[in-house]
């Protein structure tokens, strides 16, 4: 299969939009840009198409997907008894990089949310993602467009590196502006829980709720299955150190990212792999330490 890149800056031409929408309506997968990371999209209401996402990524079937919508009325097809707390967050942060976990309607194919009684939903702000969802006329199920376990893709080239020849169309919307995944919020007994730190900081959400966010309980069932997997890992080994003096750098084989932040983390990890480095060493300065989402991804990409 030949992989074609269709360029969207920031919108797709009407011809290219028709190509992408027809593929999705026909039950095929298309990689699309979002403001966080690229997504591997399928029509959410076609279980056979959604199945292809798991197969192509090598994703464990117990790791649920996020539904992407372009207008608030599409929420009605997906969720029931929406909590007023979650709706308040939607009103403040959508469109944007916030994912909310609602009670799932039985009409939503179980494969999308790994048979959980819930469904994670977000409304992306990226103009091209919105244009495509609109044209398909159905919510899109989309995880990050990387092979399972690899760093998330923040450019069309990253998607191509993982899926060239296995995907017919990748929409090239340039670099993702956030570069890190959405924040995921769920509910326990009508209290909001931070299931995955991400592009929207904890404090911004707490300000809207006027209360603190809970952390997922340490015991009991895993509320966000994606968080239990080692993840976001490049081929090179990632080491986190406290200061430069701790470094035992073997020159030539160690990649030292400069100006590391949440926005450029994944592109640094992928760049190190492209250049063939064997290890990546990250010096944890106070700026990195204070970024919860960045620290979460670093810890999960590293070997200690
Ligand atoms: O920014 C993003 O969220 C990107 C773009 C493409 O939208 N998507 C993304 O999807 O990061 P993915 O599949 O890589 O991560 C989805 C996360 C996983 O940690 C998964 O466990 C969690 O969301 N999740 C999905 N549905 C859930 C549910 N019903 N309950 C709890 N967690 C859920
Ligand atoms: Mg992912």
């Amino acid at each position: 299969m030949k992989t074609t890149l269709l360029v969207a800056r920031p919108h797709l031409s009407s011809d290219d939009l028709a190509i992408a929408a027809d593929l999705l309506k026909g039950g095929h997968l298309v990689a699309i840009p979002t403001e966080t990371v690229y997504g591997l999209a399928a029509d959410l209401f076609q279980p056979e198409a959604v199945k292809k996402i798991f197969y192509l990524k090598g994703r464990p079937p117990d790791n649920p997907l996020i539904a992407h919508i372009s207008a608030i009325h599409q929420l009605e097809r997906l969720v029931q008894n929406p909590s007023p707390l979650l709706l308040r967050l939607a009103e403040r942060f959508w469109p944007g990089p916030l994912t909310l976990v609602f009670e799932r309607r039985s009409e939503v194919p179980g494969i999308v949310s790994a048979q959980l009684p819930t469904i994670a939903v977000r409304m992306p702000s990226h103009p091209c993602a919105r244009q495509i969802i609109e044209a398909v006329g159905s919510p899109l199920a989309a995880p990050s467009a990387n092979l399972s376990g690899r760093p998330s893709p923040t450019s069309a080239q990253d998607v191509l590196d993982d899926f060239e020849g296995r995907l017919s169309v990748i929409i090239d919307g340039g670099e993702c502006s956030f570069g890190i995944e959405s924040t995921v919020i769920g509910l326990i007994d009508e209290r909001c829980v931070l299931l995955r730190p991400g592009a929207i900081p904890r404090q911004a959400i707490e300000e809207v709720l006027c209360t603190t966010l809970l952390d997922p309980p340490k015991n009991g069932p895993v509320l966000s299955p994606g968080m239990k997997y080692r993840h976001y890992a490049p081929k090179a080994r990632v080491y986190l150190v406290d200061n430069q003096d701790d470094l035992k750098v073997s020159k030539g084989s160690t990649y030292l990212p400069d100006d590391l932040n949440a926005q450029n983390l994944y592109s640094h990890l992928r760049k190190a792999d492209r250049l063939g480095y064997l290890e990546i060493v990250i010096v944890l300065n106070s700026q990195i330490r204070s970024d919860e989402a960045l620290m979460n991804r670093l810890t999960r990409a590293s070997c200690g």
Side-chain angles (χ1 to χ4, degrees), residues 13-223:
S13 69
S14 51
D15 285 354
D16 287 350
L17 180 61
I19 292 173
D22 286 348
L23 279 169
L24 287 161
K25 287 186 216 169
H28 301 282
L29 307 186
V30 174
I32 62 168
T34 84
E35 70 279 20
T36 56
V37 301
Y38 276 70
L40 185 61
D43 179 349
L44 179 138
F45 284 102
Q46 295 189 48
E48 286 303 314
V50 175
K51 206 190 254 180
K52 293 179 187 168
I53 295 179
F54 287 89
Y55 175 74
L56 200 65
K57 273 182 68 93
R59 183 182 180 95
D62 68 347
N63 193 1
L65 308 176
I66 296 174
H68 293 66
I69 60 175
S70 58
I72 199 77
H73 68 84
Q74 291 168 334
L75 200 57
E76 289 161 24
R77 289 181 73 193
L78 302 172
V79 316
Q80 56 194 12
N81 308 319
S83 148
L85 281 179
L86 296 182
L87 291 177
R88 199 195 305 167
L89 293 177
E91 195 174 320
R92 167 66 184 78
F93 292 106
W94 284 357
L98 182 69
T99 295
L100 301 169
V101 179
F102 294 92
E103 211 178 294
R104 172 167 66 98
R105 284 190 86 93
S106 56
E107 295 84 349
V108 174
I111 184 174
V112 176
S113 52
Q115 313 302 334
L116 291 173
T118 51
I119 174 86
V121 187
R122 91 174 185 96
M123 186 192 291
S125 61
H126 195 290
C128 173
R130 301 170 61 76
Q131 196 186 13
I132 293 172
I133 301 166
E134 201 95 329
V136 175
S138 172
L140 298 179
S144 49
N146 52 283
L147 288 170
S148 216
R150 299 265 301 139
S152 294
T154 56
S155 71
Q157 181 61 49
D158 294 345
V159 182
L160 198 62
D161 286 349
D162 283 12
F163 294 115
E164 181 155 28
R166 304 185 63 203
L167 201 57
S168 63
V169 164
I170 296 170
I171 313 284
D172 180 357
E175 287 282 325
C176 299
S177 56
F178 285 92
I180 195 159
E181 298 88 347
S182 61
T183 303
V184 181
I185 301 287
L187 278 183
I188 299 181
D189 300 333
E190 276 307 298
R191 286 282 312 271
C192 288
V193 189
L194 181 61
L195 295 177
R196 178 178 72 180
I200 296 188
R202 177 193 288 265
Q203 300 84 309
I205 296 164
E206 291 179 340
E207 265 170 40
V208 175
L209 295 173
C210 299
T211 178
T212 52
L213 282 168
L214 300 179
D215 289 313
K218 298 256 177 323
N219 304 310
V222 182
L223 291 181

